[in-house]
Amino acid sequence: MKFLKNNLLSVAVMTALFTVAMMGDADASVFTTAGAKLVSLFKNAKMIIFIIGGFGLIALAFQAIFGKVKWAWFAALAFGLAVVAAASSIITYAANNNAVMSASGDLEDTLGNSQGMDGENMGSKY
């Protein structure tokens, strides 16, 4: 019993790894569904962050113009919103392929990339 108390975390991690390794193909639909739900959650949360951040940028700009807050706060919020906008590109780059986009829906970029996945121009109809 003393061994189990001292190494409970190690036993739990080994049990989880063994379970994942022995799952086989039965987990494919579960992880695909979970991935699609996470992409949907990421898109919706990103939209809310952009709306609140946009109002925050306007408020900080006015306050910085009149000297109430430092311009560094405005710059930090703008940089944070740029990082959120580039997050999907960072995830795709870290995965080193387009598996993130094809497996769980379209994880699109919000930085103004006008090229679609197949190379067609989506920004212009002409």
Side-chain angles (χ1 to χ4, degrees), residues 4 10 14 22 40 44 56 59 66 84 91-92 97-98:
L4 190 61
S10 299
M14 291 301 288
M22 301 305 268
S40 175
N44 293 336
F66 294 117
V84 170
I91 291 169
T92 304
N97 61 8
N98 291 332

Side-chain angles (χ1 to χ4, degrees), residues 53-92:
F55 285 121
L57 276 178
I58 293 170
L60 283 177
F62 276 115
Q63 290 180 1
I65 288 170
F66 294 117
K68 300 292 182 185
V69 297
K70 297 179 183 178
W71 279 101
W73 291 13
F74 175 80
L77 181 58
F79 180 74
L81 289 174
V83 168
V84 170
S88 60
S89 294
I90 294 169
I91 291 169
T92 304

Side-chain angles (χ1 to χ4, degrees), residues 102-114:
S102 63
S104 53
D106 292 331
L107 187 62
E108 70 251 0
D109 190 13
T110 53
L111 287 176
N113 184 8
S114 62

Side-chain angles (χ1 to χ4, degrees), residues 28-29 31-37 39 97-107 117:
S29 65
F31 287 125
T32 303
T33 304
K37 295 287 184 182
V39 168
N97 61 8
N98 291 332
V100 174
M101 292 185 185
S102 63
S104 53
D106 292 331
L107 187 62
M117 287 292 295

